[in-house]
Amino acid sequence: MLRLSKRSVSTFLRSGDRSFRVAAAATSISRSSPSSTTDSKGVESGSRWYSSLTNRKCMKHESLAKLNMKTNWFMGYRNESTAAASDSASQAPPPVEKFEYQAEVSRLLDLIVNSLYSNKEVFLRELISNASDALDKLRYLSVTDPELSKDAADLDIRIYADKENGVITLTDSGIGMTRQELVDCLGTIAQSGTAKFLKALKDNKDAGGDNNLIGQFGVGFYSAFLVADRVTVSTKSPKSDKQYVWESEADSSSYTIKEETDPQLIIPRGTRITLHLKRDEKGFADPERIQKLVKNYSQFVSFPIYTWQEKGYTKEVEVDDDPAESKKDDQDDQTERKKKTKKVVERYWDWELTNETQPIWLRNSKEVTTEEYNEFYRKTFNEYLDPLASSHFTTEGEVEFKSILYVPPVSPMGKDDVVNQKTKNIRLYVKRVFISDDFDGELFPRYLSFIKGVVDSHDLPLNVSREILQESRIVRIMKKRLVKKAFDMILGISLSENREDYEKFWDNFGKHLKLGCIEDRENHKRLAPLLRFFSSQSENDMISLDEYVENMKAEQKAIYYIASDSVTSAKNAPFLEKLMEKELEVLYLVEPIDEVAIQSLKSYKDKDFIDISKEDLDLGKYKNEEKEAAVKKEFGQTCDWIKKRLGDKVASVQISSRLSSSPCVLVSGKFGWSANMERLMKAQAGGDTTSLEFMKGRRVFEINPEHSIIKSINAAYKSNPNDEDAMIAIDLMYDAALVSSGFTPENPAELGGKIYEMMGIALSGKWSSPEVQPQQQHMAHSHNAELLEAEVVEPVGVDGKK
């Protein structure tokens, strides 16, 4: 087979008649087959034309212009033998085959069930939810067709547990299923009859009102295989005269359907599900455990749920007389003797109502009393104290849910535990069916993990998992609204006339709110009004930031604070001296988390927070600039002299504007750790000491030019800058400022030695007794005389005279 070269064929299309011409050299096909012949138009009879883009062919003896080709399609030409052409002409294009996906149904079902449900207990919740849907459907359809509910009037769910045989039977009097519905709903995985019913309601324009249907995914029924190796479903629909039985095993890929013929097993209407439990799961057949699961997961299903329970009542029975007593003398035959009895408990089995059909959060908040809210709180969360506050609200619109939130009276984990965000304080329901109370910050941030309550959503799927909660947009919207309601509830406590309520709350949960200042920047405006601190004008009672702002001086532009380990050390710090003179209020931050929380807030009501223990303290109009200039001129060189002596211990030496009675103070740099923060970081059990040098920042040594010690130091510099006593005084002054400013001395022993030396000089001979003084004076005189005698004798020895 030969192909024409690119140079021998030139192809172009005419857009008018959609034809093309081919010009080829006659010599380019000189290697054609012997059986090929050339027609009058110069085209070989044994050759075919092929499009490079389609499967269409040009038959021999036909003009190329007759081909109906699209504009701008380029053609390729190839030469074949006549035999090959005849074979290809007789062959049709290969057919396109369609295949269906194949799956191992038993393994696929196992994957679906075990990926959706990590807790085996939920199987009962799913089956009860399906039964509730069947009852809801019957109730809805009976409105237009009363004949559907004539066979059995009661709409309920009954659960029978056979502990000995490991069998659980759940029966509902709902709508039931026909044979075809069994095939469609149970024979098709992920086929939801409820979803079809909801779609039919949506399509029906006349259908209005709310519905309480729960399941919509068609996999809840198969959760029964988590605990059962065989499941039997016997169902009777009012639309059919026959009752059918569906049965399947856990590891099987098939199921059977048969007509029920046993008269003893005939039910008037509804569905009966029988679970034959696995050997390791027979503990679920305990009646008490069934009752506990119903109360936990399906407590608020809108239909009554009865469980088969053992009951007992007390009755009196006669006791036979003792033979020894019967031989006694019966003198009083005329009087009737009372028969002896005893109390015994008679045991029997009967149906017991297990759930409450009306959850409190579905009721109108105006109709619920405070006592009912408190009772629900104590019962739901096993508490014995009433909550500090509660909030009952309904959210509609983009996301619909109902909720009741509570502020507990005390912290259950202790006042110091603010990092345990994994609690069981929030119970999530989906259409009254309990889903989970195991959350890790999905509904509330860590600092609000102490809030307790219930949340009932209509938008979340019933088989919700933690991964769904973390990625769900609905949950994110719910979280924002729940947090807002929680803040409103806490704010209500703070504004209460009873001040003790908020003091009690702050004592238990104040650290949680401070943690929120660090972690939640979006809610700073909600958190800041709730904070409480001691201050220089309120050392016994905490004040709010609003109260601080109200007490501010007219010229004051910032909120001042100091961080320390106690109120006593804070109020005695030298940093406060000038501010106390000017009656400027200073907040005392005495808890370890306080300083970081305030630094995260940065400002409140356009007032910046300023740490008075750091450099460049600006007191605004309280400064006297002329006086400061004169002082700097007088003490400027003295500051440089002190800096030279201290060396790298300090970054600079400056004139202080915050001191009045202390000679000096050591302040932190504007961007480094404060003295209090350095102390806290050094005390960390797992702290990294290598970061201390990097984060502690610069230190500035400030002196008070009006103090007598500083005036003496200034005089020493002007008279003798190299005086050794002046140098020692500077070192001791720095060490004293280090301690009074809240820093830790690097060498406490050396500091102690300097103090002892100064004490020795100051106390030398001050309190000596009068008898001892003459003796000391005599000894001192004798010593001086010996020295004088030595001085006199020495020159005599040189001259040789006495």
Side-chain angles (χ1 to χ4, degrees):
M1 180 177 68
L2 298 177
R3 298 179 183 270
L4 294 177
S5 63
K6 293 181 179 179
R7 294 182 180 180
S8 63
V9 178
S10 61
T11 306
F12 65 93
L13 300 175
R14 292 183 302 174
S15 58
D17 56 3
R18 304 176 64 184
S19 62
F20 63 87
R21 293 181 298 176
V22 178
T27 57
S28 63
I29 52 175
S30 58
R31 292 187 179 183
S32 60
S33 174
S35 59
S36 303
T37 59
T38 305
D39 59 6
S40 60
K41 296 183 180 180
V43 181
E44 290 185 341
S45 60
S47 59
R48 296 179 184 272
W49 294 93
Y50 290 85
S51 167
S52 61
L53 302 178
T54 66
N55 290 329
R56 298 189 61 182
K57 308 170 186 177
C58 290
M59 301 302 294
K60 59 182 179 179
H61 304 296
E62 289 184 354
S63 174
L64 297 179
K66 293 183 179 180
L67 291 176
N68 185 15
M69 304 301 294
K70 293 184 178 180
T71 307
N72 298 331
W73 281 17
F74 292 90
M75 306 301 298
Y77 177 77
R78 73 177 184 178
N79 208 331
E80 287 184 339
S81 64
T82 306
S86 61
D87 293 340
S88 62
S90 62
Q91 293 179 355
V96 178
E97 298 183 67
K98 186 177 181 180
F99 295 91
E100 297 289 341
Y101 288 107
Q102 302 296 319
E104 186 69 29
V105 178
S106 59
R107 297 195 63 184
L108 177 62
L109 186 58
D110 182 68
L111 288 173
I112 292 174
V113 171
N114 287 282
S115 62
L116 289 176
Y117 307 104
S118 57
N119 187 3
K120 294 182 179 181
E121 291 182 349
V122 301
F123 81 94
L124 190 61
R125 180 196 75 185
E126 297 295 320
L127 296 181
I128 292 176
S129 299
N130 289 344
S132 176
D133 282 351
L135 294 167
D136 259 323
K137 293 176 189 177
L138 178 64
R139 183 169 59 180
Y140 179 83
L141 296 175
S142 297
V143 176
T144 57
D145 190 1
E147 293 293 325
L148 296 176
S149 59
K150 67 177 182 178
D151 294 332
D154 296 333
L155 300 180
D156 56 22
I157 303 170
R158 297 180 182 269
I159 305 174
Y160 175 82
D162 185 355
K163 187 176 182 180
E164 295 181 359
N165 298 318
V167 176
I168 298 176
T169 303
L170 187 146
T171 306
D172 68 77
S173 56
I175 190 64
M177 288 179 282
T178 63
R179 183 183 181 281
Q180 187 59 40
E181 288 172 342
L182 275 176
V183 175
D184 293 340
C185 297
L186 302 187
T188 306
I189 300 175
Q191 174 79 11
S192 174
T194 300
K196 282 186 176 182
F197 186 74
L198 287 174
K199 185 177 183 302
L201 290 180
K202 194 173 183 180
D203 294 340
N204 185 3
K205 297 180 180 180
D206 296 332
D210 298 333
N211 65 79
N212 295 320
L213 298 176
I214 301 171
Q216 298 184 28
F217 294 92
V219 293
F221 167 77
Y222 304 103
S223 64
F225 291 106
L226 289 170
V227 296
D229 53 15
R230 182 162 59 93
V231 177
T232 303
V233 179
S234 181
T235 181
K236 170 69 168 59
S237 172
K239 302 176 184 179
S240 174
D241 296 333
K242 297 180 180 180
Q243 180 174 331
Y244 295 95
V245 179
W246 180 99
E247 188 172 276
S248 181
E249 296 182 356
D251 298 330
S252 176
S253 59
S254 61
Y255 60 90
T256 61
I257 296 179
K258 66 178 181 179
E259 182 180 347
E260 183 61 78
T261 56
D262 189 350
Q264 296 181 354
L265 300 178
I266 295 296
I267 55 179
R269 185 194 63 238
T271 302
R272 181 174 58 239
I273 301 176
T274 304
L275 307 182
H276 301 271
L277 300 181
K278 299 175 182 178
R279 180 180 300 177
D280 298 336
E281 310 298 342
K282 289 189 177 181
F284 284 106
D286 185 359
E288 293 183 359
R289 188 171 185 181
I290 290 293
Q291 187 179 49
K292 182 179 178 181
L293 292 178
V294 172
K295 289 183 176 181
N296 187 35
Y297 289 99
S298 304
Q299 175 77 7
F300 303 106
V301 170
S302 56
F303 296 96
I305 302 175
Y306 295 92
T307 56
W308 189 251
Q309 298 293 330
E310 185 180 18
K311 298 182 179 182
Y313 65 94
T314 304
K315 68 176 183 178
E316 291 186 356
V317 296
E318 295 182 2
V319 180
D320 296 335
D321 292 337
D322 191 354
E325 295 181 359
S326 61
K327 295 180 181 180
K328 289 183 178 180
D329 197 16
D330 49 349
Q331 302 176 7
D332 303 330
D333 291 337
Q334 297 179 356
T335 61
E336 184 179 356
R337 193 193 313 176
K338 293 184 179 180
K339 297 181 180 180
K340 293 184 178 180
T341 61
K342 67 175 182 180
K343 294 182 179 181
V344 296
V345 178
E346 189 74 17
R347 296 289 179 179
Y348 68 100
W349 289 83
D350 196 4
W351 293 107
E352 180 178 329
L353 181 64
T354 306
N355 68 322
E356 298 178 6
T357 58
Q358 179 63 27
I360 189 174
W361 62 80
L362 296 182
R363 296 167 57 185
N364 190 339
S365 59
K366 298 179 181 179
E367 301 175 355
V368 185
T369 64
T370 304
E371 290 74 15
E372 289 178 309
Y373 283 127
N374 294 344
E375 182 183 359
F376 177 77
Y377 169 78
R378 293 192 301 267
K379 183 178 179 181
T380 304
F381 300 102
N382 297 321
E383 294 284 352
Y384 60 93
L385 296 175
D386 291 338
L388 288 177
S390 62
S391 177
H392 184 187
F393 60 93
T394 300
T395 301
E396 297 178 349
E398 189 176 5
V399 174
E400 181 181 353
F401 67 92
K402 302 177 186 294
S403 178
I404 300 179
L405 300 180
Y406 295 95
V407 176
V410 294
S411 176
M413 303 300 294
K415 299 178 183 179
D416 298 330
D417 187 10
V418 295
V419 297
N420 183 20
Q421 63 180 356
K422 195 171 183 180
T423 63
K424 295 183 179 295
N425 291 339
I426 299 297
R427 295 176 61 86
L428 176 63
Y429 291 81
V430 174
K431 297 183 179 180
R432 308 169 315 282
V433 177
F434 175 70
I435 299 300
S436 177
D437 59 0
D438 185 14
F439 297 108
D440 197 8
E442 289 86 1
L443 292 178
F444 274 100
R446 177 170 65 161
Y447 66 92
L448 289 178
S449 60
F450 62 89
I451 296 292
K452 296 185 177 183
V454 295
V455 180
D456 189 359
S457 171
H458 284 250
D459 301 310
L460 287 174
L462 184 62
N463 43 11
V464 66
S465 63
R466 172 158 293 158
E467 292 76 13
I468 296 176
L469 287 176
Q470 291 173 347
E471 302 297 332
S472 174
R473 174 177 167 273
I474 297 174
V475 173
R476 290 196 295 269
I477 297 175
M478 290 173 58
K479 182 177 180 178
K480 287 184 178 180
R481 298 185 181 178
L482 289 171
V483 169
K484 180 180 181 299
K485 289 294 183 180
F487 277 123
D488 293 342
M489 187 167 49
I490 298 172
L491 183 62
I493 302 175
S494 67
L495 299 177
S496 174
E497 296 180 357
N498 189 359
R499 190 181 180 93
E500 295 180 357
D501 287 345
Y502 195 74
E503 291 177 355
K504 186 177 181 181
F505 168 82
W506 183 258
D507 189 37
N508 285 277
F509 307 110
K511 293 181 180 179
H512 291 74
L513 300 186
K514 295 173 184 177
L515 179 64
C517 295
I518 302 171
E519 296 184 342
D520 192 357
R521 296 182 180 273
E522 295 181 359
N523 288 305
H524 276 178
K525 291 184 178 180
R526 293 191 178 105
L527 284 162
L530 303 175
L531 301 179
R532 297 291 185 270
F533 301 100
F534 293 107
S535 73
S536 57
Q537 297 181 9
S538 180
E539 297 179 2
N540 297 322
D541 297 326
M542 289 186 170
I543 64 170
S544 65
L545 295 179
D546 288 325
E547 292 174 318
Y548 181 96
V549 173
E550 291 177 2
N551 298 333
M552 288 175 62
K553 301 289 185 180
E555 301 84 3
Q556 188 177 345
K557 297 181 180 180
I559 300 175
Y560 301 111
Y561 72 88
I562 182 173
S564 185
D565 58 346
S566 66
V567 174
T568 302
S569 61
K571 71 179 183 179
N572 293 321
F575 306 103
L576 276 77
E577 294 174 357
K578 189 69 70 172
L579 285 87
M580 296 292 285
E581 281 185 3
K582 301 181 181 299
E583 296 182 352
L584 296 177
E585 191 172 12
V586 179
L587 296 177
Y588 295 158
L589 311 185
V590 296
E591 292 187 353
I593 196 175
D594 288 355
E595 186 175 359
V596 183
I598 287 294
Q599 290 174 353
S600 300
L601 286 179
K602 296 182 180 179
S603 65
Y604 181 71
K605 291 186 176 180
D606 298 329
K607 306 289 184 181
D608 294 334
F609 290 101
I610 293 181
D611 187 353
I612 64 172
S613 68
K614 292 193 174 183
E615 63 176 330
D616 297 336
L617 178 63
D618 185 10
L619 297 179
K621 294 184 178 180
Y622 297 99
K623 296 191 301 181
N624 190 336
E625 296 181 359
E626 295 181 359
K627 183 179 180 180
E628 288 182 2
V631 171
K632 286 183 179 180
K633 184 177 180 180
E634 173 68 19
F635 290 87
Q637 294 181 350
T638 303
C639 292
D640 297 337
W641 176 56
I642 296 175
K643 170 66 175 73
K644 183 178 179 181
R645 173 61 181 174
L646 297 178
D648 295 336
K649 293 180 180 179
V650 296
S652 63
V653 179
Q654 299 176 3
I655 305 297
S656 178
S657 61
R658 73 188 85 205
L659 297 176
S660 60
S661 59
S662 299
C664 57
V665 71
L666 196 62
V667 300
S668 304
K670 184 179 294 185
F671 303 105
W673 282 342
S674 65
N676 181 67
M677 187 57 66
E678 279 191 34
R679 175 181 61 84
L680 294 175
M681 296 308 295
K682 287 181 180 179
Q684 295 295 318
D688 184 9
T689 57
T690 59
S691 64
L692 294 177
E693 293 296 326
F694 175 74
M695 290 300 299
K696 71 180 182 181
R698 48 183 267 152
R699 296 175 180 176
V700 178
F701 189 67
E702 292 187 358
I703 60 174
N704 180 10
E706 298 179 357
H707 199 277
S708 58
I709 295 177
I710 301 302
K711 291 179 179 179
S712 299
I713 295 294
N714 187 42
Y717 165 72
K718 292 181 178 180
S719 62
N720 185 9
N722 297 321
D723 186 83
E724 188 65 26
D725 291 337
M727 298 298 178
I728 294 175
I730 292 175
D731 292 341
L732 187 60
M733 190 168 58
Y734 169 79
D735 291 335
L738 195 71
V739 175
S740 64
S741 300
F743 294 97
T744 304
E746 297 179 0
N747 193 344
E750 182 181 356
L751 174 60
K754 292 179 182 179
I755 295 175
Y756 296 149
E757 183 179 356
M758 296 296 293
M759 290 176 63
I761 296 173
L763 301 178
S764 177
K766 188 173 183 179
W767 293 292
S768 300
S769 60
E771 292 88 5
V772 178
Q773 288 182 358
Q775 184 178 0
Q776 290 178 345
Q777 292 177 358
H778 176 72
M779 293 176 63
H781 178 74
S782 301
H783 179 67
N784 293 336
E786 292 176 358
L787 293 175
L788 182 61
E789 184 180 358
E791 292 176 356
V792 173
V793 170
E794 186 175 351
V796 173
V798 175
D799 297 337
K801 298 179 180 181
K802 291 183 180 178

